[in-house]
Amino acid sequence: MTDAVTSVNINSTITYLIALAIILGARLLSPIIAHIIIYIFHKLFKVDTKIVNSGFYEPIKFMITVAGFGIAIYYLQLPKGVINLYNKVFKSLLVLAIAKALANCLKPDSTFFTKLESSTKFNGNEALNSFIGKILKALIYIVAAFIILKEDFDYDLGGLAAGLGIGSAVVALAFQDFVKSLIGGFTILTDKPFEIGDYIEVGAFQGTVIDITFRSTRLRATNNAVISLPNSVIVAEYVKNWSRLENRRLELRLRLSLNSSTETIQRCISKLKTVLKANNNVIEDTVMVHLDSIENDANIIWIVAYINTSDYSEFCQMKEEVNCDILSVLERENIELVYPTQKVYTKTL
């Protein structure tokens, strides 16, 4: 009796070890089998292997491993309920794996968009590709969810559709702002008033664009805070794209003392023009220096010039150099700048 029990235990152990070996074998062989499947798919349907590899390789490997579990379950002759449960899970995972594979092909830098651009007039940038890819991915996963509900769980989609029909007004009202932002996002990506990496100003907000999604555009402000603006708000506002500047404007107003003679002022204006035009960072044709106005406490010299850079950091450095040149002229001419003053009269009682 003891020998019989021992023999049964040994047989059971061997059976379970074989089942475990089947699972591990499927896992270890999954990369090789996946490459073989992709190669066969390429030969049969003449699809570029880069497109198939980019999206289908990982899901195929995963499904081969899942299939290994199924073979092990059948080999162990587990109860029918367990087998039926596995069949349902397998079909659901298969649908999700196909959806995942298709979604993987829709990355902004994927071969899919490269082939699309080469074979059509489509000329999207990374942000537009990402936006379109997200919409298509959402549709793919929605379709996959409906298939799983219908095929694996026998869910009545007709009843769901009827329910959606009854509540369509409520749903439309709830998603009104979302749809506006979605259309706004599509408008931004096709009209291209700005792109990821641009520094923009929208109303009271400004920062570097770090992402454009279905609903919103995210900016990183100069204090490193992230600002999320609905796309519907952006398309309704005036947008300043500072990254599209070819050069930057420098404007100064110098307040000269009223005691400065006309000759001194004219000489100062002439020398300021000479110094500014001699600066390599200043666009010579844009230099303007004039006696703009005579106020109660000062003569106002108005200076305008364009600096030959669009980068804000470089502009600040070049502006500092120009300001130092201006101060040097004033020092050589012994001209002092005055500040706005205000006289206050008090009455002693």
Side-chain angles (χ1 to χ4, degrees), residues 263-300:
E263 182 182 355
T264 300
I265 293 174
Q266 290 177 338
R267 187 168 63 252
C268 178
I269 291 173
S270 177
K271 291 190 176 182
L272 287 173
K273 287 181 180 179
T274 301
V275 167
L276 290 173
K277 289 181 179 181
N279 192 309
N280 294 328
N281 297 322
V282 176
I283 301 175
E284 184 177 347
D285 295 340
T286 65
V287 174
M288 292 188 293
V289 184
H290 300 286
L291 176 60
D292 183 58
S293 62
I294 302 172
E295 297 183 359
N296 293 331
D297 56 352
N299 297 312
I300 308 300

PDB file of all heavy atoms in Angstrom, residues 263-300:
ATOM      1  N   GLU A 263      22.745 121.942 -27.054  1.00  0.00           N
ATOM      2  CA  GLU A 263      23.942 121.418 -27.706  1.00  0.00           C
ATOM      3  C   GLU A 263      24.367 120.096 -27.073  1.00  0.00           C
ATOM      4  O   GLU A 263      24.717 119.126 -27.768  1.00  0.00           O
ATOM      5  CB  GLU A 263      25.083 122.444 -27.590  1.00  0.00           C
ATOM      6  CG  GLU A 263      26.360 121.989 -28.283  1.00  0.00           C
ATOM      7  CD  GLU A 263      27.495 122.994 -28.115  1.00  0.00           C
ATOM      8  OE1 GLU A 263      27.249 124.080 -27.544  1.00  0.00           O
ATOM      9  OE2 GLU A 263      28.620 122.680 -28.544  1.00  0.00           O
ATOM     10  N   THR A 264      24.302 120.025 -25.757  1.00  0.00           N
ATOM     11  CA  THR A 264      24.679 118.794 -25.047  1.00  0.00           C
ATOM     12  C   THR A 264      23.736 117.649 -25.411  1.00  0.00           C
ATOM     13  O   THR A 264      24.167 116.514 -25.651  1.00  0.00           O
ATOM     14  CB  THR A 264      24.646 119.027 -23.531  1.00  0.00           C
ATOM     15  OG1 THR A 264      25.573 120.075 -23.195  1.00  0.00           O
ATOM     16  CG2 THR A 264      25.024 117.752 -22.783  1.00  0.00           C
ATOM     17  N   ILE A 265      22.446 117.957 -25.472  1.00  0.00           N
ATOM     18  CA  ILE A 265      21.450 116.928 -25.802  1.00  0.00           C
ATOM     19  C   ILE A 265      21.679 116.406 -27.221  1.00  0.00           C
ATOM     20  O   ILE A 265      21.661 115.197 -27.468  1.00  0.00           O
ATOM     21  CB  ILE A 265      20.026 117.481 -25.635  1.00  0.00           C
ATOM     22  CG1 ILE A 265      19.746 117.757 -24.148  1.00  0.00           C
ATOM     23  CG2 ILE A 265      18.995 116.502 -26.205  1.00  0.00           C
ATOM     24  CD1 ILE A 265      18.415 118.441 -23.887  1.00  0.00           C
ATOM     25  N   GLN A 266      21.903 117.322 -28.175  1.00  0.00           N
ATOM     26  CA  GLN A 266      22.123 116.907 -29.567  1.00  0.00           C
ATOM     27  C   GLN A 266      23.397 116.076 -29.702  1.00  0.00           C
ATOM     28  O   GLN A 266      23.432 115.082 -30.440  1.00  0.00           O
ATOM     29  CB  GLN A 266      22.195 118.139 -30.466  1.00  0.00           C
ATOM     30  CG  GLN A 266      20.851 118.850 -30.636  1.00  0.00           C
ATOM     31  CD  GLN A 266      20.964 120.116 -31.466  1.00  0.00           C
ATOM     32  OE1 GLN A 266      22.056 120.704 -31.580  1.00  0.00           O
ATOM     33  NE2 GLN A 266      19.850 120.557 -32.043  1.00  0.00           N
ATOM     34  N   ARG A 267      24.444 116.486 -28.991  1.00  0.00           N
ATOM     35  CA  ARG A 267      25.690 115.732 -29.037  1.00  0.00           C
ATOM     36  C   ARG A 267      25.506 114.343 -28.419  1.00  0.00           C
ATOM     37  O   ARG A 267      26.027 113.344 -28.926  1.00  0.00           O
ATOM     38  CB  ARG A 267      26.782 116.512 -28.291  1.00  0.00           C
ATOM     39  CG  ARG A 267      28.169 115.881 -28.443  1.00  0.00           C
ATOM     40  CD  ARG A 267      29.268 116.800 -27.948  1.00  0.00           C
ATOM     41  NE  ARG A 267      29.153 117.087 -26.529  1.00  0.00           N
ATOM     42  CZ  ARG A 267      28.774 118.272 -26.025  1.00  0.00           C
ATOM     43  NH1 ARG A 267      28.489 119.282 -26.847  1.00  0.00           N
ATOM     44  NH2 ARG A 267      28.687 118.456 -24.730  1.00  0.00           N
ATOM     45  N   CYS A 268      24.741 114.295 -27.345  1.00  0.00           N
ATOM     46  CA  CYS A 268      24.460 113.015 -26.681  1.00  0.00           C
ATOM     47  C   CYS A 268      23.684 112.087 -27.607  1.00  0.00           C
ATOM     48  O   CYS A 268      24.010 110.893 -27.729  1.00  0.00           O
ATOM     49  CB  CYS A 268      23.677 113.271 -25.400  1.00  0.00           C
ATOM     50  SG  CYS A 268      23.211 111.767 -24.526  1.00  0.00           S
ATOM     51  N   ILE A 269      22.669 112.620 -28.292  1.00  0.00           N
ATOM     52  CA  ILE A 269      21.865 111.816 -29.223  1.00  0.00           C
ATOM     53  C   ILE A 269      22.732 111.267 -30.343  1.00  0.00           C
ATOM     54  O   ILE A 269      22.657 110.087 -30.710  1.00  0.00           O
ATOM     55  CB  ILE A 269      20.696 112.652 -29.788  1.00  0.00           C
ATOM     56  CG1 ILE A 269      19.671 112.946 -28.689  1.00  0.00           C
ATOM     57  CG2 ILE A 269      20.033 111.944 -30.973  1.00  0.00           C
ATOM     58  CD1 ILE A 269      18.564 113.903 -29.110  1.00  0.00           C
ATOM     59  N   SER A 270      23.605 112.110 -30.885  1.00  0.00           N
ATOM     60  CA  SER A 270      24.477 111.695 -31.980  1.00  0.00           C
ATOM     61  C   SER A 270      25.424 110.584 -31.539  1.00  0.00           C
ATOM     62  O   SER A 270      25.617 109.580 -32.253  1.00  0.00           O
ATOM     63  CB  SER A 270      25.275 112.893 -32.477  1.00  0.00           C
ATOM     64  OG  SER A 270      26.179 112.496 -33.481  1.00  0.00           O
ATOM     65  N   LYS A 271      26.011 110.717 -30.359  1.00  0.00           N
ATOM     66  CA  LYS A 271      26.951 109.712 -29.886  1.00  0.00           C
ATOM     67  C   LYS A 271      26.248 108.405 -29.519  1.00  0.00           C
ATOM     68  O   LYS A 271      26.792 107.317 -29.719  1.00  0.00           O
ATOM     69  CB  LYS A 271      27.737 110.255 -28.691  1.00  0.00           C
ATOM     70  CG  LYS A 271      28.708 111.363 -29.081  1.00  0.00           C
ATOM     71  CD  LYS A 271      29.638 111.727 -27.945  1.00  0.00           C
ATOM     72  CE  LYS A 271      30.675 112.769 -28.415  1.00  0.00           C
ATOM     73  NZ  LYS A 271      31.628 113.118 -27.345  1.00  0.00           N
ATOM     74  N   LEU A 272      25.006 108.521 -28.993  1.00  0.00           N
ATOM     75  CA  LEU A 272      24.248 107.311 -28.686  1.00  0.00           C
ATOM     76  C   LEU A 272      23.950 106.526 -29.963  1.00  0.00           C
ATOM     77  O   LEU A 272      24.060 105.292 -29.996  1.00  0.00           O
ATOM     78  CB  LEU A 272      22.945 107.660 -27.962  1.00  0.00           C
ATOM     79  CG  LEU A 272      23.068 108.103 -26.495  1.00  0.00           C
ATOM     80  CD1 LEU A 272      21.733 108.566 -25.965  1.00  0.00           C
ATOM     81  CD2 LEU A 272      23.622 106.963 -25.635  1.00  0.00           C
ATOM     82  N   LYS A 273      23.578 107.218 -31.028  1.00  0.00           N
ATOM     83  CA  LYS A 273      23.327 106.553 -32.306  1.00  0.00           C
ATOM     84  C   LYS A 273      24.591 105.854 -32.806  1.00  0.00           C
ATOM     85  O   LYS A 273      24.547 104.704 -33.266  1.00  0.00           O
ATOM     86  CB  LYS A 273      22.858 107.570 -33.347  1.00  0.00           C
ATOM     87  CG  LYS A 273      21.439 108.064 -33.152  1.00  0.00           C
ATOM     88  CD  LYS A 273      21.065 109.055 -34.244  1.00  0.00           C
ATOM     89  CE  LYS A 273      19.640 109.564 -34.075  1.00  0.00           C
ATOM     90  NZ  LYS A 273      19.270 110.551 -35.126  1.00  0.00           N
ATOM     91  N   THR A 274      25.725 106.557 -32.693  1.00  0.00           N
ATOM     92  CA  THR A 274      26.991 105.989 -33.168  1.00  0.00           C
ATOM     93  C   THR A 274      27.356 104.724 -32.386  1.00  0.00           C
ATOM     94  O   THR A 274      27.748 103.704 -32.960  1.00  0.00           O
ATOM     95  CB  THR A 274      28.117 107.032 -33.043  1.00  0.00           C
ATOM     96  OG1 THR A 274      27.777 108.198 -33.817  1.00  0.00           O
ATOM     97  CG2 THR A 274      29.433 106.454 -33.545  1.00  0.00           C
ATOM     98  N   VAL A 275      27.234 104.794 -31.062  1.00  0.00           N
ATOM     99  CA  VAL A 275      27.588 103.656 -30.207  1.00  0.00           C
ATOM    100  C   VAL A 275      26.675 102.460 -30.492  1.00  0.00           C
ATOM    101  O   VAL A 275      27.137 101.308 -30.589  1.00  0.00           O
ATOM    102  CB  VAL A 275      27.510 104.060 -28.722  1.00  0.00           C
ATOM    103  CG1 VAL A 275      27.549 102.831 -27.822  1.00  0.00           C
ATOM    104  CG2 VAL A 275      28.651 104.992 -28.370  1.00  0.00           C
ATOM    105  N   LEU A 276      25.380 102.710 -30.630  1.00  0.00           N
ATOM    106  CA  LEU A 276      24.432 101.617 -30.864  1.00  0.00           C
ATOM    107  C   LEU A 276      24.660 100.962 -32.223  1.00  0.00           C
ATOM    108  O   LEU A 276      24.636  99.731 -32.348  1.00  0.00           O
ATOM    109  CB  LEU A 276      22.998 102.132 -30.763  1.00  0.00           C
ATOM    110  CG  LEU A 276      22.530 102.534 -29.356  1.00  0.00           C
ATOM    111  CD1 LEU A 276      21.159 103.198 -29.408  1.00  0.00           C
ATOM    112  CD2 LEU A 276      22.487 101.317 -28.433  1.00  0.00           C
ATOM    113  N   LYS A 277      24.890 101.765 -33.237  1.00  0.00           N
ATOM    114  CA  LYS A 277      25.091 101.214 -34.582  1.00  0.00           C
ATOM    115  C   LYS A 277      26.421 100.455 -34.687  1.00  0.00           C
ATOM    116  O   LYS A 277      26.556  99.567 -35.526  1.00  0.00           O
ATOM    117  CB  LYS A 277      25.047 102.338 -35.618  1.00  0.00           C
ATOM    118  CG  LYS A 277      23.650 102.913 -35.810  1.00  0.00           C
ATOM    119  CD  LYS A 277      23.626 104.009 -36.872  1.00  0.00           C
ATOM    120  CE  LYS A 277      22.228 104.560 -37.068  1.00  0.00           C
ATOM    121  NZ  LYS A 277      22.171 105.618 -38.111  1.00  0.00           N
ATOM    122  N   ALA A 278      27.368 100.820 -33.833  1.00  0.00           N
ATOM    123  CA  ALA A 278      28.666 100.142 -33.857  1.00  0.00           C
ATOM    124  C   ALA A 278      28.628  98.796 -33.130  1.00  0.00           C
ATOM    125  O   ALA A 278      29.536  97.980 -33.286  1.00  0.00           O
ATOM    126  CB  ALA A 278      29.736 101.037 -33.232  1.00  0.00           C
ATOM    127  N   ASN A 279      27.588  98.563 -32.371  1.00  0.00           N
ATOM    128  CA  ASN A 279      27.469  97.310 -31.630  1.00  0.00           C
ATOM    129  C   ASN A 279      27.036  96.180 -32.583  1.00  0.00           C
ATOM    130  O   ASN A 279      26.019  96.288 -33.261  1.00  0.00           O
ATOM    131  CB  ASN A 279      26.443  97.467 -30.501  1.00  0.00           C
ATOM    132  CG  ASN A 279      26.484  96.304 -29.517  1.00  0.00           C
ATOM    133  OD1 ASN A 279      26.424  95.148 -29.897  1.00  0.00           O
ATOM    134  ND2 ASN A 279      26.579  96.641 -28.236  1.00  0.00           N
ATOM    135  N   ASN A 280      27.809  95.105 -32.614  1.00  0.00           N
ATOM    136  CA  ASN A 280      27.522  94.005 -33.543  1.00  0.00           C
ATOM    137  C   ASN A 280      26.219  93.276 -33.244  1.00  0.00           C
ATOM    138  O   ASN A 280      25.669  92.598 -34.112  1.00  0.00           O
ATOM    139  CB  ASN A 280      28.674  92.988 -33.532  1.00  0.00           C
ATOM    140  CG  ASN A 280      29.954  93.568 -34.088  1.00  0.00           C
ATOM    141  OD1 ASN A 280      29.915  94.428 -34.979  1.00  0.00           O
ATOM    142  ND2 ASN A 280      31.089  93.124 -33.574  1.00  0.00           N
ATOM    143  N   ASN A 281      25.734  93.395 -32.018  1.00  0.00           N
ATOM    144  CA  ASN A 281      24.502  92.705 -31.632  1.00  0.00           C
ATOM    145  C   ASN A 281      23.247  93.498 -31.978  1.00  0.00           C
ATOM    146  O   ASN A 281      22.133  92.978 -31.875  1.00  0.00           O
ATOM    147  CB  ASN A 281      24.501  92.417 -30.121  1.00  0.00           C
ATOM    148  CG  ASN A 281      25.625  91.487 -29.729  1.00  0.00           C
ATOM    149  OD1 ASN A 281      25.949  90.557 -30.467  1.00  0.00           O
ATOM    150  ND2 ASN A 281      26.238  91.740 -28.584  1.00  0.00           N
ATOM    151  N   VAL A 282      23.427  94.742 -32.371  1.00  0.00           N
ATOM    152  CA  VAL A 282      22.298  95.621 -32.691  1.00  0.00           C
ATOM    153  C   VAL A 282      22.122  95.686 -34.207  1.00  0.00           C
ATOM    154  O   VAL A 282      23.097  95.830 -34.952  1.00  0.00           O
ATOM    155  CB  VAL A 282      22.516  97.036 -32.115  1.00  0.00           C
ATOM    156  CG1 VAL A 282      21.388  97.977 -32.523  1.00  0.00           C
ATOM    157  CG2 VAL A 282      22.641  96.964 -30.595  1.00  0.00           C
ATOM    158  N   ILE A 283      20.862  95.572 -34.653  1.00  0.00           N
ATOM    159  CA  ILE A 283      20.568  95.714 -36.081  1.00  0.00           C
ATOM    160  C   ILE A 283      20.614  97.205 -36.431  1.00  0.00           C
ATOM    161  O   ILE A 283      19.779  97.988 -35.964  1.00  0.00           O
ATOM    162  CB  ILE A 283      19.196  95.111 -36.418  1.00  0.00           C
ATOM    163  CG1 ILE A 283      19.177  93.628 -36.027  1.00  0.00           C
ATOM    164  CG2 ILE A 283      18.886  95.272 -37.903  1.00  0.00           C
ATOM    165  CD1 ILE A 283      17.834  92.967 -36.205  1.00  0.00           C
ATOM    166  N   GLU A 284      21.584  97.583 -37.227  1.00  0.00           N
ATOM    167  CA  GLU A 284      21.896  99.004 -37.447  1.00  0.00           C
ATOM    168  C   GLU A 284      20.711  99.801 -37.964  1.00  0.00           C
ATOM    169  O   GLU A 284      20.457 100.922 -37.506  1.00  0.00           O
ATOM    170  CB  GLU A 284      23.069  99.101 -38.436  1.00  0.00           C
ATOM    171  CG  GLU A 284      23.545 100.522 -38.667  1.00  0.00           C
ATOM    172  CD  GLU A 284      24.759 100.587 -39.586  1.00  0.00           C
ATOM    173  OE1 GLU A 284      25.360  99.516 -39.828  1.00  0.00           O
ATOM    174  OE2 GLU A 284      25.082 101.692 -40.055  1.00  0.00           O
ATOM    175  N   ASP A 285      19.960  99.270 -38.909  1.00  0.00           N
ATOM    176  CA  ASP A 285      18.869 100.016 -39.528  1.00  0.00           C
ATOM    177  C   ASP A 285      17.704 100.273 -38.581  1.00  0.00           C
ATOM    178  O   ASP A 285      16.805 101.073 -38.897  1.00  0.00           O
ATOM    179  CB  ASP A 285      18.342  99.265 -40.758  1.00  0.00           C
ATOM    180  CG  ASP A 285      19.391  99.166 -41.857  1.00  0.00           C
ATOM    181  OD1 ASP A 285      20.341  99.980 -41.830  1.00  0.00           O
ATOM    182  OD2 ASP A 285      19.271  98.269 -42.719  1.00  0.00           O
ATOM    183  N   THR A 286      17.695  99.601 -37.427  1.00  0.00           N
ATOM    184  CA  THR A 286      16.561  99.755 -36.516  1.00  0.00           C
ATOM    185  C   THR A 286      16.818 100.778 -35.409  1.00  0.00           C
ATOM    186  O   THR A 286      15.930 101.038 -34.599  1.00  0.00           O
ATOM    187  CB  THR A 286      16.233  98.402 -35.860  1.00  0.00           C
ATOM    188  OG1 THR A 286      17.329  97.983 -35.027  1.00  0.00           O
ATOM    189  CG2 THR A 286      15.961  97.336 -36.916  1.00  0.00           C
ATOM    190  N   VAL A 287      18.011 101.344 -35.363  1.00  0.00           N
ATOM    191  CA  VAL A 287      18.363 102.261 -34.276  1.00  0.00           C
ATOM    192  C   VAL A 287      17.632 103.594 -34.432  1.00  0.00           C
ATOM    193  O   VAL A 287      17.670 104.225 -35.493  1.00  0.00           O
ATOM    194  CB  VAL A 287      19.887 102.501 -34.233  1.00  0.00           C
ATOM    195  CG1 VAL A 287      20.236 103.568 -33.201  1.00  0.00           C
ATOM    196  CG2 VAL A 287      20.620 101.197 -33.925  1.00  0.00           C
ATOM    197  N   MET A 288      16.942 103.999 -33.360  1.00  0.00           N
ATOM    198  CA  MET A 288      16.276 105.310 -33.322  1.00  0.00           C
ATOM    199  C   MET A 288      16.553 105.951 -31.969  1.00  0.00           C
ATOM    200  O   MET A 288      16.305 105.342 -30.927  1.00  0.00           O
ATOM    201  CB  MET A 288      14.762 105.163 -33.524  1.00  0.00           C
ATOM    202  CG  MET A 288      14.340 104.718 -34.911  1.00  0.00           C
ATOM    203  SD  MET A 288      12.527 104.794 -35.139  1.00  0.00           S
ATOM    204  CE  MET A 288      12.002 103.503 -34.013  1.00  0.00           C
ATOM    205  N   VAL A 289      17.090 107.185 -32.002  1.00  0.00           N
ATOM    206  CA  VAL A 289      17.354 107.954 -30.784  1.00  0.00           C
ATOM    207  C   VAL A 289      16.839 109.363 -31.021  1.00  0.00           C
ATOM    208  O   VAL A 289      17.301 110.056 -31.937  1.00  0.00           O
ATOM    209  CB  VAL A 289      18.858 107.990 -30.437  1.00  0.00           C
ATOM    210  CG1 VAL A 289      19.074 108.721 -29.108  1.00  0.00           C
ATOM    211  CG2 VAL A 289      19.437 106.585 -30.365  1.00  0.00           C
ATOM    212  N   HIS A 290      15.877 109.805 -30.212  1.00  0.00           N
ATOM    213  CA  HIS A 290      15.256 111.116 -30.428  1.00  0.00           C
ATOM    214  C   HIS A 290      14.941 111.783 -29.087  1.00  0.00           C
ATOM    215  O   HIS A 290      14.740 111.094 -28.075  1.00  0.00           O
ATOM    216  CB  HIS A 290      13.950 110.987 -31.224  1.00  0.00           C
ATOM    217  CG  HIS A 290      14.124 110.383 -32.576  1.00  0.00           C
ATOM    218  ND1 HIS A 290      14.689 111.070 -33.630  1.00  0.00           N
ATOM    219  CD2 HIS A 290      13.810 109.148 -33.052  1.00  0.00           C
ATOM    220  CE1 HIS A 290      14.713 110.288 -34.697  1.00  0.00           C
ATOM    221  NE2 HIS A 290      14.188 109.123 -34.365  1.00  0.00           N
ATOM    222  N   LEU A 291      14.894 113.113 -29.129  1.00  0.00           N
ATOM    223  CA  LEU A 291      14.359 113.859 -28.003  1.00  0.00           C
ATOM    224  C   LEU A 291      12.836 113.748 -28.092  1.00  0.00           C
ATOM    225  O   LEU A 291      12.201 114.408 -28.909  1.00  0.00           O
ATOM    226  CB  LEU A 291      14.805 115.323 -28.062  1.00  0.00           C
ATOM    227  CG  LEU A 291      14.238 116.239 -26.976  1.00  0.00           C
ATOM    228  CD1 LEU A 291      14.637 115.778 -25.581  1.00  0.00           C
ATOM    229  CD2 LEU A 291      14.692 117.683 -27.215  1.00  0.00           C
ATOM    230  N   ASP A 292      12.265 112.918 -27.269  1.00  0.00           N
ATOM    231  CA  ASP A 292      10.861 112.553 -27.417  1.00  0.00           C
ATOM    232  C   ASP A 292       9.919 113.592 -26.843  1.00  0.00           C
ATOM    233  O   ASP A 292       8.907 113.937 -27.451  1.00  0.00           O
ATOM    234  CB  ASP A 292      10.621 111.197 -26.748  1.00  0.00           C
ATOM    235  CG  ASP A 292       9.195 110.699 -26.929  1.00  0.00           C
ATOM    236  OD1 ASP A 292       8.762 110.548 -28.091  1.00  0.00           O
ATOM    237  OD2 ASP A 292       8.511 110.472 -25.911  1.00  0.00           O
ATOM    238  N   SER A 293      10.270 114.111 -25.662  1.00  0.00           N
ATOM    239  CA  SER A 293       9.360 115.070 -25.028  1.00  0.00           C
ATOM    240  C   SER A 293      10.101 115.871 -23.968  1.00  0.00           C
ATOM    241  O   SER A 293      11.192 115.491 -23.537  1.00  0.00           O
ATOM    242  CB  SER A 293       8.161 114.357 -24.399  1.00  0.00           C
ATOM    243  OG  SER A 293       8.592 113.477 -23.384  1.00  0.00           O
ATOM    244  N   ILE A 294       9.500 116.994 -23.589  1.00  0.00           N
ATOM    245  CA  ILE A 294      10.040 117.832 -22.520  1.00  0.00           C
ATOM    246  C   ILE A 294       8.988 117.867 -21.424  1.00  0.00           C
ATOM    247  O   ILE A 294       7.897 118.414 -21.609  1.00  0.00           O
ATOM    248  CB  ILE A 294      10.332 119.264 -23.016  1.00  0.00           C
ATOM    249  CG1 ILE A 294      11.315 119.215 -24.194  1.00  0.00           C
ATOM    250  CG2 ILE A 294      10.883 120.116 -21.882  1.00  0.00           C
ATOM    251  CD1 ILE A 294      11.511 120.554 -24.868  1.00  0.00           C
ATOM    252  N   GLU A 295       9.309 117.274 -20.303  1.00  0.00           N
ATOM    253  CA  GLU A 295       8.347 117.180 -19.210  1.00  0.00           C
ATOM    254  C   GLU A 295       8.714 118.185 -18.123  1.00  0.00           C
ATOM    255  O   GLU A 295       9.695 118.913 -18.233  1.00  0.00           O
ATOM    256  CB  GLU A 295       8.309 115.757 -18.666  1.00  0.00           C
ATOM    257  CG  GLU A 295       7.840 114.739 -19.715  1.00  0.00           C
ATOM    258  CD  GLU A 295       7.729 113.334 -19.164  1.00  0.00           C
ATOM    259  OE1 GLU A 295       8.030 113.138 -17.964  1.00  0.00           O
ATOM    260  OE2 GLU A 295       7.335 112.424 -19.931  1.00  0.00           O
ATOM    261  N   ASN A 296       7.916 118.210 -17.069  1.00  0.00           N
ATOM    262  CA  ASN A 296       8.113 119.220 -16.016  1.00  0.00           C
ATOM    263  C   ASN A 296       9.442 119.060 -15.286  1.00  0.00           C
ATOM    264  O   ASN A 296       9.976 120.032 -14.746  1.00  0.00           O
ATOM    265  CB  ASN A 296       6.975 119.143 -14.994  1.00  0.00           C
ATOM    266  CG  ASN A 296       5.646 119.548 -15.595  1.00  0.00           C
ATOM    267  OD1 ASN A 296       5.605 120.353 -16.528  1.00  0.00           O
ATOM    268  ND2 ASN A 296       4.556 118.994 -15.065  1.00  0.00           N
ATOM    269  N   ASP A 297       9.949 117.802 -15.252  1.00  0.00           N
ATOM    270  CA  ASP A 297      11.155 117.573 -14.467  1.00  0.00           C
ATOM    271  C   ASP A 297      12.313 116.981 -15.255  1.00  0.00           C
ATOM    272  O   ASP A 297      13.377 116.720 -14.703  1.00  0.00           O
ATOM    273  CB  ASP A 297      10.832 116.649 -13.273  1.00  0.00           C
ATOM    274  CG  ASP A 297      10.212 115.338 -13.745  1.00  0.00           C
ATOM    275  OD1 ASP A 297       9.908 115.227 -14.957  1.00  0.00           O
ATOM    276  OD2 ASP A 297      10.029 114.431 -12.918  1.00  0.00           O
ATOM    277  N   ALA A 298      12.135 116.764 -16.589  1.00  0.00           N
ATOM    278  CA  ALA A 298      13.216 116.132 -17.349  1.00  0.00           C
ATOM    279  C   ALA A 298      12.978 116.253 -18.850  1.00  0.00           C
ATOM    280  O   ALA A 298      11.845 116.415 -19.317  1.00  0.00           O
ATOM    281  CB  ALA A 298      13.335 114.669 -16.960  1.00  0.00           C
ATOM    282  N   ASN A 299      14.108 116.172 -19.597  1.00  0.00           N
ATOM    283  CA  ASN A 299      14.049 115.995 -21.053  1.00  0.00           C
ATOM    284  C   ASN A 299      14.106 114.490 -21.343  1.00  0.00           C
ATOM    285  O   ASN A 299      15.009 113.813 -20.857  1.00  0.00           O
ATOM    286  CB  ASN A 299      15.241 116.689 -21.728  1.00  0.00           C
ATOM    287  CG  ASN A 299      15.216 118.189 -21.504  1.00  0.00           C
ATOM    288  OD1 ASN A 299      14.189 118.836 -21.686  1.00  0.00           O
ATOM    289  ND2 ASN A 299      16.351 118.749 -21.092  1.00  0.00           N
ATOM    290  N   ILE A 300      13.170 113.995 -22.129  1.00  0.00           N
ATOM    291  CA  ILE A 300      13.048 112.551 -22.348  1.00  0.00           C
ATOM    292  C   ILE A 300      13.701 112.170 -23.676  1.00  0.00           C
ATOM    293  O   ILE A 300      13.280 112.611 -24.747  1.00  0.00           O
ATOM    294  CB  ILE A 300      11.575 112.094 -22.357  1.00  0.00           C
ATOM    295  CG1 ILE A 300      10.855 112.592 -21.088  1.00  0.00           C
ATOM    296  CG2 ILE A 300      11.497 110.577 -22.475  1.00  0.00           C
ATOM    297  CD1 ILE A 300      11.470 112.088 -19.795  1.00  0.00           C
TER     298      ILE A 300
END
